[in-house]
Amino acid sequence: MENLEQDVRRSGACLCGAVRISVDIKQNDLGVCHCANCRKWSGGPFFEVEVGSDVTIEGEQAIQVYASSNWAERGFCKVCGSHLFIRDKSTNAYGIPPGLFEDDSSFQFNRQVFSDQKPVYYSFSNHTKNITSDFIYKNFPQVQEDI
């Protein structure tokens, strides 16, 4: 993770603008997840910026939350269907798609999670850290039952 010299306030919205998200970001890194759940949800790899739990959301009445596993829930806009976040139920930490932010130009793609589950029909040219299922299951055993 590349840390910023200071927190950077980022804000953005879903496609229709019914939901606005604002957060202080402490690093510029972003990653993708290739697990089956993320690919089903996003139609491909799920891109996310890990932002912690201090997230300000406006328009909560337009958010639908789906408990996608024992450890995580996913939020999307009920109006336009935009994916808004994945949230860890135990820590309340959010992963937010970088495309929601008004300015996503400084993010650096540096990791791929469940890299061994990536389908053969796409690949990235970026040099990234590739984190396998074995590593995830060993270090985060709560996710094994859900993937």
Side-chain angles (χ1 to χ4, degrees):
M1 287 185 209
E2 181 175 332
N3 291 327
L4 301 172
E5 290 184 25
Q6 59 184 349
D7 289 358
V8 174
R9 190 76 176 164
R10 301 252 186 186
S11 59
C14 63
L15 187 60
C16 71
V19 179
R20 295 204 49 82
I21 294 176
S22 184
V23 63
D24 288 327
I25 295 181
K26 297 172 184 3
Q27 66 242 359
N28 280 334
D29 72 315
L30 72 94
V32 299
C33 182
H34 300 288
C35 80
N37 286 347
C38 281
R39 286 186 286 120
K40 277 187 187 248
W41 187 47
S42 67
F46 177 64
F47 286 79
E48 73 166 348
V49 178
E50 295 176 352
V51 299
S53 60
D54 189 15
V55 176
T56 302
I57 298 176
E58 298 173 30
E60 289 190 35
Q61 70 278 4
I63 296 175
Q64 180 67 47
V65 175
Y66 170 66
S68 58
S69 67
N70 288 333
W71 67 275
E73 54 193 11
R74 299 167 192 260
F76 61 92
C77 176
K78 291 191 281 190
V79 179
C80 66
S82 293
H83 298 150
L84 301 171
F85 57 80
I86 185 167
R87 180 173 48 211
D88 186 305
K89 292 178 184 179
S90 65
T91 65
N92 206 38
Y94 286 77
I96 298 179
L100 287 182
F101 296 111
E102 293 162 0
D103 178 13
D104 62 0
S105 61
S106 67
F107 292 122
Q108 297 176 7
F109 175 35
N110 66 1
R111 72 183 179 288
Q112 298 183 60
V113 179
F114 289 99
S115 59
D116 54 320
Q117 294 185 19
K118 183 188 78 57
V120 297
Y121 55 82
Y122 66 81
S123 64
F124 297 107
S125 62
N126 306 64
H127 178 71
T128 63
K129 181 176 182 181
N130 294 315
I131 304 165
T132 65
S133 302
D134 288 342
F135 179 88
I136 295 294
Y137 297 150
K138 179 180 177 186
N139 293 285
F140 306 96
Q142 70 274 18
V143 305
Q144 189 161 4
E145 64 193 58
D146 297 319
I147 305 292

